[in-house]
Amino acid sequence: RNKARILYHLGGSYEHEEGGFDWYKEWEEWANQQWRRQQQQQQQSTYQQQQRQTNQQYQRKQQGQKKQEFHWDFDVNDPYAVLGIQRGASRQEISAAFRKQMLKYHPDTQPDASDAQKLRLVERSKLITEAYQKLKKATK
């Protein structure tokens, strides 16, 4: 007998003498909304803080590194000159020249190079890669 009454009351259709218990549901929804807002604000502030730190680190790195201008004995805008081959070279010659240049100028193949030399090697490797990509597209 009491079990049925308890289940009836827990079912939510029961009206108390002082009124319904809808206020609790409303409060619970409000509390959940407040909690979600707080979580979103914390996530946003954490994200913004990480962005600021990343930007500060980037700016410090940029200030510490001045862009070096390297002078090359070839025309950097001519991919054939960068790879050291004649115009009209075949795809096989272009690929062979690329591999030869990368083996010669890649920073990982020069373990005893100083930091300044490695920077120069990195720039040279970038030029070689760009030249190879341009020629590879052009010969397709």
Side-chain angles (χ1 to χ4, degrees):
R1 205 174 95 200
N2 288 336
K3 181 179 178 184
R5 239 191 301 170
I6 291 171
L7 290 174
Y8 176 74
H9 292 300
L10 290 176
S13 59
Y14 172 72
E15 278 287 324
H16 192 271
E17 301 111 30
E18 298 176 9
F21 288 100
D22 292 337
W23 65 269
Y24 181 76
K25 290 180 184 176
E26 292 172 5
W27 175 83
E28 193 173 32
E29 288 175 22
W30 175 83
N32 282 331
Q33 288 175 352
Q34 295 298 317
W35 182 80
R36 280 190 221 102
R37 282 187 193 139
Q38 185 180 20
Q39 292 297 315
Q40 288 174 344
Q41 288 174 349
Q42 285 178 347
Q43 287 174 349
Q44 287 175 349
S45 67
T46 301
Y47 176 76
Q48 290 170 349
Q49 187 178 19
Q50 289 173 344
Q51 288 297 104
R52 280 194 298 272
Q53 288 175 349
T54 302
N55 288 339
Q56 289 172 353
Q57 289 172 352
Y58 178 75
Q59 288 173 353
R60 275 189 239 123
K61 186 176 180 182
Q62 291 298 321
Q63 289 172 355
Q65 292 180 352
K66 295 179 182 173
K67 184 70 176 172
Q68 286 186 330
E69 282 290 321
F70 294 106
H71 300 286
W72 308 104
D73 57 349
F74 54 85
D75 181 15
V76 295
N77 297 319
D78 180 16
Y80 291 98
V82 173
L83 292 176
I85 55 177
Q86 298 293 322
R87 291 194 177 279
S90 67
R91 291 185 86 177
Q92 291 83 12
E93 291 172 331
I94 292 171
S95 294
F98 169 73
R99 285 192 299 273
K100 182 179 175 184
Q101 293 289 321
M102 285 305 283
L103 282 173
K104 187 174 180 182
Y105 293 109
H106 195 277
D108 292 343
T109 61
Q110 309 286 332
D112 298 332
S114 67
D115 288 340
Q117 289 171 330
K118 284 195 179 196
L119 281 175
R120 186 174 173 86
L121 290 170
V122 166
E123 289 301 315
R124 181 76 182 252
S125 296
K126 288 178 186 177
L127 290 173
I128 293 167
T129 303
E130 289 172 12
Y132 178 66
Q133 289 173 347
K134 285 180 188 176
L135 292 176
K136 191 174 177 184
K137 284 181 185 177
T139 57
K140 279 189 175 181

